[in-house]
Amino acid sequence: MKPNVSLGQTFLAILISFVFIAITTISVLLGAVILPLVVYYLLNIKHKSNYHFWLIFISFLLPAFLFLSPVIWMWFVVLYILTAVIYHTLSKGFSQELTLFYGTFALMLSVVGGLNLLQMTGVINPLADTYMDVRNWYVEQVEGMGALNFAALDIDVFRMALDQLFIQLPAFITIISFFVVLYTVLMLRLLLQNKELKPWPYLSFKDWAFPRFILYLFFILYIVSLFTSPEDTFGTIISNAYVVVEWAVFLHGLSFAYFFFLEKNMNKVLAILLLIPLAILRPLTVIIGLMEMVFRFRLSMKLKRK
């Protein structure tokens, strides 16, 4: 495509990227809030001129690498990886659901890779050391208040629960990445209206259905986890994979519940409100998802409708 991006737009994109990174460095949550706006601007530039898109990347990356902190450099790389993946899904006409899959793993892998790189270069302390400091502090607080509110709490159980959370950190990064990408995609659907870049084909949440392969994978991981220890490498992989698959079943159950409410001609606002307690009662929703995958209630209801 012929380059048609002005010098002013190029410098503005660099400025917007810098503002995003500065805000993200202060607060990851605020950075996630403005992420769709930054991605939207970079998407438009890439659509107009791939040359300018990568020129902006090099123009910012080299000074950031030489004069700014590695954390800023890492966030800029993460931003560009996510933008490039999202643009690829738009240009190839992928579905919204496939975009969520690609975007989630692109964001997760880039964040995990960035954290590992920062640890290896000594920019940040090893996460294990940071975790041990935090865990020891929490345990000290619990032990100090044991005579008050935590008299019945087993300190060893509390310590094991914290260890399990740390072991499953990659899984939780994946889940958080999914919700960040979901928010980004939904916001981009609004921003891309009547633009040259057309948004992804839309599929209502009530029609979200994971393949039955997830059901088999869920039970395989559950059985394998009974015979592995989360302290070794293989057990850690199984534990993280199980958490991610369990969340997939949870989303499947939540989607089916929404489908069921609408099939029963329930008011849409009321149906959405009823999803809130189901989202809070996650174990119940996971069971609903498993039962739907086994007995295929959604398919039966669609056939009856015909």
Side-chain angles (χ1 to χ4, degrees):
M1 181 176 293
K2 183 179 179 180
N4 54 355
V5 179
S6 67
L7 186 61
Q9 288 177 309
T10 302
F11 280 114
L12 182 60
I14 296 175
L15 177 62
I16 291 174
S17 300
F18 181 79
V19 170
F20 162 75
I21 294 166
I23 293 175
T24 304
T25 304
I26 298 172
S27 172
V28 176
L29 181 60
L30 289 177
V33 170
I34 67 171
L35 176 63
L37 297 176
V38 185
V39 171
Y40 169 72
Y41 195 82
L42 291 175
L43 282 174
N44 281 329
I45 289 181
K46 183 169 176 58
H47 183 64
K48 293 177 180 178
S49 170
N50 192 54
Y51 166 78
H52 282 83
F53 178 76
W54 291 111
L55 178 63
I56 293 169
F57 179 75
I58 296 173
S59 300
F60 187 92
L61 190 64
L62 290 178
F65 182 75
L66 295 174
F67 304 110
L68 301 178
S69 71
V71 175
I72 292 178
W73 181 86
M74 185 201 80
W75 279 123
F76 188 66
V77 173
V78 169
L79 171 65
Y80 251 72
I81 289 175
L82 181 60
T83 302
V85 169
I86 289 179
Y87 180 80
H88 179 74
T89 64
L90 284 169
S91 61
K92 297 298 182 181
F94 290 170
S95 67
Q96 183 170 285
E97 291 66 44
L98 200 56
T99 300
L100 292 176
F101 176 81
Y102 283 137
T104 295
F105 281 93
L107 184 57
M108 180 273 292
L109 291 174
S110 56
V111 169
V112 171
L115 290 174
N116 287 329
L117 182 62
L118 293 177
Q119 290 180 90
M120 288 188 296
T121 55
V123 175
I124 62 175
N125 294 327
L127 293 180
D129 294 345
T130 304
Y131 162 71
M132 289 302 297
D133 293 338
V134 173
R135 190 190 75 164
N136 291 337
W137 182 84
Y138 269 106
V139 170
E140 287 176 3
Q141 302 307 307
V142 172
E143 290 176 339
M145 299 181 65
L148 299 175
N149 299 325
F150 299 96
L153 180 63
D154 190 329
I155 299 299
D156 290 333
V157 173
F158 180 75
R159 190 181 291 110
M160 290 174 60
L162 291 178
D163 290 343
Q164 188 67 21
L165 287 176
F166 177 72
I167 290 171
Q168 295 174 344
L169 181 61
F172 290 117
I173 291 177
T174 304
I175 294 166
I176 293 171
S177 297
F178 169 79
F179 285 106
V180 170
V181 173
L182 175 62
Y183 164 70
T184 302
V185 166
L186 293 178
M187 290 298 293
L188 286 174
R189 290 192 66 87
L190 298 176
L191 296 171
L192 291 172
Q193 295 296 327
N194 300 321
K195 302 292 182 180
E196 294 181 3
L197 276 173
K198 298 300 181 182
W200 307 269
Y202 176 73
L203 184 67
S204 173
F205 180 65
K206 71 181 180 66
D207 295 318
W208 283 24
F210 287 87
R212 224 176 190 189
F213 168 75
I214 295 295
L215 173 67
Y216 305 141
L217 188 59
F218 176 87
F219 285 114
I220 290 172
L221 290 172
Y222 177 76
I223 294 172
V224 173
S225 67
L226 298 176
F227 302 96
T228 58
S229 171
E231 297 177 357
D232 57 49
T233 303
F234 181 71
T236 300
I237 295 173
I238 294 298
S239 177
N240 280 275
Y242 179 77
V243 172
V244 173
V245 172
E246 186 181 49
W247 269 88
V249 176
F250 165 73
L251 289 174
H252 186 91
L254 205 61
S255 168
F256 171 69
Y258 187 47
F259 172 84
F260 179 83
F261 295 150
L262 295 183
E263 283 292 304
K264 297 303 179 181
N265 297 319
M266 185 178 293
N267 181 273
K268 193 171 185 178
V269 175
L270 179 59
I272 294 174
L273 290 176
L274 287 177
L275 292 181
I276 297 176
L278 286 176
I280 297 173
L281 300 174
R282 197 168 72 90
L284 173 61
T285 309
V286 170
I287 294 175
I288 293 174
L290 290 173
M291 296 295 290
E292 202 286 323
M293 284 184 175
V294 172
F295 297 105
R296 304 217 175 165
F297 298 126
R298 191 191 321 241
L299 180 60
S300 299
M301 295 175 72
K302 286 183 177 179
L303 292 175
K304 288 181 180 179
R305 186 202 308 163
K306 295 178 181 180

